[in-house]
Amino acid sequence: MRRLWGRLSSVNVQKAVWGLEELGLAYERLEAGGAFGRVRDPDYVALNPNSLVPVMEEDGFVLWESNAILRYLARGHGAGSLWPEDPREAALVDQWLDWQATRFTPATRDAFWQTVRTPPERRDQATIDRSVAASEECAAILEAHLMGRPFMVGDRFTAADIAAGAAAHRWLHLDVPRTERPALRAWYERLRARPAVAVALPPLS
């Protein structure tokens, strides 16, 4: 039995759901976090002492941290597809998963919270502007990397596209000014055509 705890409005939960859907793995998703609460309950803290989502349970095995979950799924069930067999390509997937977690998603966080989850009268434009500037730097890195490439690593879809794609989904749907980047946009549209995206990436909320 595989269970995933977390609300689908979380970009971190989206990555785990996307991985599960791409691999065709059976799972039950249980709402937690945000308005759903649960993450401070003792039984949840016993699963994840950080009180964050997502958490995956699989036959008594418990795993938290979204990219750890994505790596586990991709290595265990997607070797040769979501996770490359070539060690250098696998290292590049790891590189982009770390970049998404340490650079891209943190860059977009304030702009997302201010424009999506904060009432207009309480928004801080300076905070939004700083976040947009940092996000544009990350988008420029993606644009340069994706020129002439169909996907993040090699010539096929991998876990790197899931991690970066979930972050790009958030960035590209924020109501903020941004530079149009054709290679990034074309890559994102390729990702949107995948059936798993319809489940994993809902409108921002």
Side-chain angles (χ1 to χ4, degrees):
M1 178 63 179
R2 186 180 295 109
R3 299 200 297 179
L4 184 73
W5 292 85
R7 68 192 192 282
L8 201 51
S9 58
S10 161
V11 69
N12 290 323
V13 175
Q14 290 168 6
K15 289 183 287 181
V17 168
W18 194 348
L20 288 162
E21 291 288 332
E22 287 284 350
L23 294 165
L25 298 176
Y27 67 100
E28 176 189 13
R29 187 175 64 82
L30 304 173
E31 301 287 11
F36 297 100
R38 290 287 286 123
V39 295
R40 298 288 180 183
D41 294 352
D43 61 337
Y44 190 91
V45 175
L47 297 175
N48 184 353
N50 301 291
S51 296
L52 297 172
V53 293
V55 172
M56 191 179 74
E57 298 178 86
E58 187 182 74
D59 299 325
F61 174 62
V62 178
L63 186 63
W64 39 266
E65 290 296 330
S66 59
N67 280 357
I69 293 170
L70 186 53
R71 286 183 173 100
Y72 171 75
L73 294 171
R75 288 169 175 160
H77 301 278
S81 58
L82 289 189
W83 201 264
E85 294 177 341
D86 179 86
R88 290 186 174 179
E89 287 194 348
L92 289 172
V93 172
D94 264 328
Q95 168 188 278
W96 287 109
L97 263 64
D98 287 352
W99 178 82
Q100 172 271 314
T102 62
R103 287 292 312 278
F104 196 12
T105 294
T108 63
R109 182 175 293 122
D110 284 345
F112 169 76
W113 273 91
Q114 289 284 322
T115 62
V116 176
R117 294 185 177 167
T118 301
E121 67 275 10
R122 293 174 52 196
R123 292 174 187 168
D124 183 335
Q125 190 60 48
T127 297
I128 295 171
D129 291 345
R130 285 192 297 270
S131 180
V132 168
S135 301
E136 284 281 35
E137 291 180 4
C138 293
I141 290 170
L142 274 181
E143 178 72 10
H145 176 71
L146 288 165
M147 285 183 181
R149 288 186 174 91
F151 297 107
M152 293 294 294
V153 175
D155 59 359
R156 66 182 182 277
F157 180 88
T158 68
D161 296 286
I162 293 177
H169 173 74
R170 173 172 283 190
W171 166 239
L172 292 172
H173 287 87
L174 292 179
D175 185 17
V176 297
R178 70 177 64 79
T179 301
E180 186 57 37
R181 304 185 190 275
L184 191 162
R185 178 67 66 175
W187 163 76
Y188 175 70
E189 293 303 326
R190 282 191 289 276
L191 301 188
R192 276 172 48 92
R194 303 184 71 85
V197 168
V199 178
L201 301 183
L204 299 189
S205 64

